[in-house]
Amino acid sequence: MKTFEELGVRDDLRRAIEELGFENPMPVQEKVIPHLLSEDSDVVALAQTGTGKTAAFGLPVLQRINPEINRPQALILSPTRELCLQIGSDLADFSKYMPDVRVLPVYGGSSIESQIRSLRKGVQIIVATPGRLIDLINRGVVDLSDVHTVVLDEADEMLNMGFLDSIDAILSHVPEQRKMLMFSATMPNEIAKIAKKYMHSPVEFVIGNRNEGAANVKHIYYMVNARDKYLALKRIADNSPNIFAIIFCRTRRDTQEVADRLIQDGYNADALHGDMSQQQRDIVMKKFRDRVISLLVATDVAARGLDVDDLTHVINYGLPDDTAVYTHRSGRTGRAGKTGVSIAIIHSREKGKLREIEKKIGKTFERKEVPTPEHIIEKQLYNLADRIEKVKVDDGQIDQYMQGVSRKLSWLSQEDLLKRVLSLEFNRLLDYYRDAPKIDFIDEKPRKEKKEHEKPRNDKEKDRRTADKGMARIYVNAGKGDGFYAGNLIDMLNHVVDGKRVDVGRIDLMPGYSLFDVPKADARRVVTGLTGADFLGKRLYSEIADPDKNYARASSRKSKGTDASVDPEFAPESTYEYFMKKSRGGAKKAKTKKRK
Ligand code: AMP
């Protein structure tokens, strides 16, 4: 096996990828990199997502850029906005030590004005979805006459999405003497035709098996405390506005319970398991196939009779004992040349099982952080912006009402109007995620020994756990980190505690729990009422506080959010401000580099 250095990768790039933890080249990189760096012929590479293909083309593309020339020199086309952002983000990471190279992702569904401003400032690498690029070309704001390298990523997917004509049009603006590289997960005839039409004596590399279904599957896991598994599931669903998934549970009871909770929380979900009659199961399967429901919670056995091709995710709500079952589950996604995602939501004790599955399937799971509320809201806003842009407007029908409605709303500014439209869609989500905590399992660090001077603090903590005279101190497992404040506590007590109203004494709200006093006679009633109640999706637990017990919980630190996206418009401003700027076409100045 060769090293990156032996493949000809320059030291500034090597330094960056070393920091990312790339030690040795992956097979696709070993084949493609030297070819792109030295040979003249074009390349067709059959490789799925997860094989390291982004670095295979990204590193040589970056190395071929002349930073002195402030014009587009490389063009990377990708079928979707998500992939576009992913590639942009990876290139930004790889070019960490190339300060003069600028990469710009351009894609539909985002402000074209801000993309135009960034283009005017000068970029050397454009990562684009075909439709948006054509739009920019037609407006005369992109000049591709200096482009010497073109990459078509996920070419088969671009064909599926009907982008052939757009690719044709784009390539007519790129000089003939370009180097071209095409990546595809499958090799339909059309791909061979494109290669023949546009490429110069292409060399073909095959990584892994040709047209192999399950190889398209990406394996991801989230690790949370057992009690947070359901919350993690909801966040994953909220983070994928177009989700169409099967959620596998081990038992019929779990299946029904998860489905019931999802339905109660307003999701289009249903259960499929052996306790249901054949007729009931048929109805559910039909609803799922027809997309009336988008989350199907199922046992392995019951799901056997269901054949659907285009699942976006398979979710393992816990891991099965048998690896074959996992393979079976995950093989339900990533079919028909599509990329699939198999997610496992696990608790820390399932790590061993995860490693075992990895060994058997010969693939590694990527650990991801549970999507943060900020990220979810951004994602959903994007989706809404997309829908607003794309909705079909029937002028003929709507026009007759426009005058009246406009008059009624004329007192609202454009800003207020948009605020209200957003609130219609987002109040539920914003309320739910306000102050929502981070729920990833934190691997425990060894405890430090207590120092002498910390003693008084411990006494203070003990005082906090001790009731005032005549009162009982009650513990409940929700705190400020959960958005649980005094008002919520009182409200909760009024709703869930049977019998006459409870008077509440001293309250101490901590990040992950709360302590409060109630009259001794009411203590039992309060504990019974609170335990098992639901606060914004969190199942409450309560007990009479033990002054000697340390209730502090490390995992309740508030999430800081992740800057997972390269899109500069997502910078620190609030989601609402972002949306307003976008709607005015005045999004924040684009800064195409993500620097860590
Ligand atoms: P991709 O197929 O480009 O989506 O890459 C799959 C994953 O492999 C990404 O998370 C990359 O960061 C990672 N990766 C790519 N190349 C290497 C390498 N040489 N060593 C370790 N990880 C890599």
Side-chain angles (χ1 to χ4, degrees):
M1 197 207 304
K2 289 193 169 165
T3 60
F4 279 111
E5 187 174 5
E6 285 163 338
L7 297 181
V9 178
R10 225 170 41 206
D11 55 354
D12 48 356
L13 287 163
R14 289 204 314 268
R15 211 170 124 206
I17 57 173
E18 260 163 39
E19 284 178 20
L20 294 173
F22 296 13
E23 284 171 14
N24 295 305
M26 291 167 87
V28 66
Q29 294 157 358
E30 205 168 338
K31 287 183 170 152
V32 170
I33 292 174
H35 212 87
L36 258 184
L37 286 178
S38 55
E39 303 282 341
D40 265 341
S41 54
D42 291 338
V43 173
V44 176
L46 277 184
Q48 275 92 15
T49 301
T51 50
K53 66 190 169 81
T54 317
F57 67 75
L59 296 172
V61 160
L62 285 163
Q63 191 155 327
R64 286 163 63 89
I65 297 300
N66 180 349
E68 319 261 7
I69 301 175
N70 208 7
R71 293 158 61 80
Q73 297 164 47
L75 174 64
I76 299 163
L77 293 178
S78 101
T80 62
R81 179 177 60 214
E82 286 72 25
L83 185 61
C84 203
L85 283 167
Q86 182 63 50
I87 296 171
S89 160
D90 286 355
L91 293 187
D93 287 339
F94 302 156
S95 61
K96 187 172 174 191
Y97 296 108
M98 300 172 68
D100 297 323
V101 172
R102 279 178 305 281
V103 184
L104 180 71
V106 296
Y107 45 85
S110 171
S111 150
I112 197 163
E113 280 82 3
S114 79
Q115 293 175 357
I116 291 174
R117 275 196 301 277
S118 306
L119 281 167
R120 292 224 162 100
K121 276 205 232 133
V123 300
Q124 289 110 340
I125 302 178
I126 297 179
V127 189
T129 51
R132 177 51 64 97
L133 186 61
I134 296 249
D135 202 348
L136 290 163
I137 292 174
N138 290 342
R139 291 177 186 226
V141 286
V142 201
D143 177 2
L144 300 178
S145 60
D146 281 331
V147 168
H148 53 60
T149 310
V150 177
V151 179
L152 304 185
D153 198 13
E154 299 203 353
D156 47 354
E157 198 55 29
M158 286 201 274
L159 290 184
N160 284 343
M161 294 170 73
F163 281 141
L164 187 57
D165 290 345
S166 309
I167 294 173
D168 224 299
I170 290 166
L171 289 177
S172 70
H173 293 269
V174 179
E176 259 293 299
Q177 282 315 311
R178 67 207 166 210
K179 197 169 177 75
M180 245 182 101
L181 175 64
M182 179 158 71
F183 277 93
S184 186
T186 57
M187 190 64 173
N189 284 338
E190 287 82 342
I191 294 286
K193 277 191 212 149
I194 296 191
K196 201 154 168 225
K197 184 166 172 194
Y198 298 112
M199 302 175 96
H200 308 294
S201 46
V203 179
E204 190 182 311
F205 294 124
V206 180
I207 312 321
N209 293 335
R210 211 181 256 239
N211 291 354
E212 187 188 42
N216 286 350
V217 179
K218 211 169 164 168
H219 304 266
I220 290 172
Y221 77 101
Y222 298 92
M223 191 150 69
V224 296
N225 286 309
R227 63 166 181 270
D228 290 332
K229 263 164 77 175
Y230 177 70
L231 291 188
L233 173 65
K234 280 204 332 181
R235 289 199 188 178
I236 291 162
D238 286 343
N239 198 42
S240 314
N242 299 314
I243 194 165
F244 181 55
I246 303 183
I247 299 157
F248 285 102
C249 295
R250 285 156 61 103
T251 64
R252 296 169 186 191
R253 220 180 102 196
D254 284 355
T255 305
Q256 190 63 51
E257 199 178 299
V258 171
D260 285 347
R261 289 183 78 179
L262 285 171
I263 295 166
Q264 206 173 26
D265 287 336
Y267 294 86
N268 288 328
D270 218 331
L272 185 70
H273 56 71
D275 286 345
M276 297 158 63
S277 71
Q278 185 60 44
Q279 198 195 5
Q280 282 173 319
R281 276 184 277 163
D282 286 345
I283 293 172
V284 170
M285 286 195 269
K286 178 163 181 350
K287 280 203 286 186
F288 189 56
R289 275 194 219 99
D290 294 345
R291 309 265 180 145
V292 178
I293 47 180
S294 56
L295 297 172
L296 181 71
V297 193
T299 56
D300 292 286
V301 179
R304 235 177 246 166
L306 182 68
D307 198 27
V308 276
D309 249 353
D310 38 9
L311 294 179
T312 56
H313 300 76
V314 160
I315 300 179
N316 296 267
Y317 196 76
L319 286 171
D321 290 326
D322 181 356
T323 311
V325 173
Y326 179 82
T327 315
H328 213 253
R329 288 178 179 181
S330 60
R332 284 179 162 276
T333 181
R335 290 188 181 176
K338 296 224 168 68
T339 313
V341 184
S342 175
I343 289 176
I345 306 173
I346 65 168
H347 55 76
S348 59
R349 288 187 306 284
E350 285 179 290
K351 222 168 163 182
K353 218 190 273 175
L354 187 93
R355 300 286 168 240
E356 219 171 90
I357 292 177
E358 281 183 331
K359 251 190 251 153
K360 292 236 175 86
I361 64 171
K363 290 199 169 182
T364 41
F365 280 75
E366 186 184 344
R367 178 167 178 182
K368 286 211 171 173
E369 279 191 7
V370 178
T372 58
E374 292 86 346
H375 202 257
I376 291 167
I377 290 167
E378 277 170 13
K379 239 334 201 331
Q380 296 268 2
L381 267 173
Y382 239 105
N383 190 257
L384 180 61
D386 244 7
R387 279 164 46 215
I388 291 178
E389 277 180 339
K390 291 198 183 126
V391 66
K392 215 172 130 240
V393 177
D394 184 343
D395 290 326
Q397 282 286 329
I398 287 249
D399 279 354
Q400 54 180 318
Y401 308 107
M402 273 306 282
Q403 211 184 358
V405 176
S406 290
R407 200 176 317 122
K408 177 159 169 47
L409 298 176
S410 62
W411 60 282
L412 290 168
S413 67
Q414 192 213 345
E415 202 168 306
D416 280 336
L417 196 60
L418 189 55
K419 227 186 232 183
R420 276 155 207 260
V421 171
L422 289 185
S423 303
L424 279 181
E425 283 267 335
F426 278 92
N427 275 353
R428 183 191 72 84
L429 207 68
L430 293 174
D431 277 349
Y432 177 70
Y433 281 118
R434 178 169 300 133
D435 296 321
K438 203 164 178 144
I439 54 177
D440 295 273
F441 178 82
I442 299 169
D443 302 309
E444 288 232 353
K445 296 201 180 80
R447 278 202 191 137
K448 277 193 285 175
E449 267 191 45
K450 291 220 171 71
K451 297 202 182 90
E452 207 44 40
H453 67 267
E454 284 177 357
K455 279 260 167 70
R457 202 180 136 194
N458 290 341
D459 289 346
K460 206 170 121 197
E461 276 167 8
K462 193 162 176 178
D463 286 345
R464 193 184 292 135
R465 296 189 290 257
T466 311
D468 288 349
K469 209 161 169 237
M471 305 291 267
R473 196 90 179 126
I474 309 288
Y475 159 89
V476 62
N477 65 335
K480 286 185 285 190
D482 303 296
F484 191 77
Y485 293 97
N488 305 98
L489 171 66
I490 311 269
D491 200 39
M492 201 78 206
L493 293 175
N494 288 340
H495 281 95
V496 302
V497 178
D498 289 336
K500 77 169 186 13
R501 244 191 60 177
V502 181
D503 289 326
V504 181
R506 177 168 54 97
I507 302 176
D508 276 309
L509 298 164
M510 307 307 289
Y513 65 98
S514 305
L515 295 162
F516 58 96
D517 278 354
V518 296
K520 266 191 181 152
D522 294 327
R524 272 281 130 230
R525 206 154 53 93
V526 168
V527 165
T528 313
L530 280 179
T531 298
D534 179 276
F535 178 71
L536 297 182
K538 179 169 188 154
R539 189 172 279 227
L540 296 186
Y541 168 75
S542 173
E543 64 184 33
I544 295 176
D546 174 351
D548 292 313
K549 190 157 157 185
N550 184 3
Y551 288 108
R553 209 181 69 193
S555 62
S556 59
R557 251 174 288 139
K558 193 177 172 312
S559 120
K560 292 217 176 63
T562 47
D563 177 21
S565 147
V566 73
D567 191 338
E569 297 175 13
F570 280 162
E573 61 195 339
S574 77
T575 311
Y576 171 69
E577 279 166 10
Y578 155 73
F579 200 91
M580 282 312 300
K581 283 186 183 164
K582 179 168 152 54
S583 74
R584 290 197 298 262
K588 209 170 148 177
K589 269 188 278 165
K591 191 173 69 182
T592 54
K593 282 271 199 161
K594 187 179 74 177
R595 292 273 167 248
K596 286 182 183 153

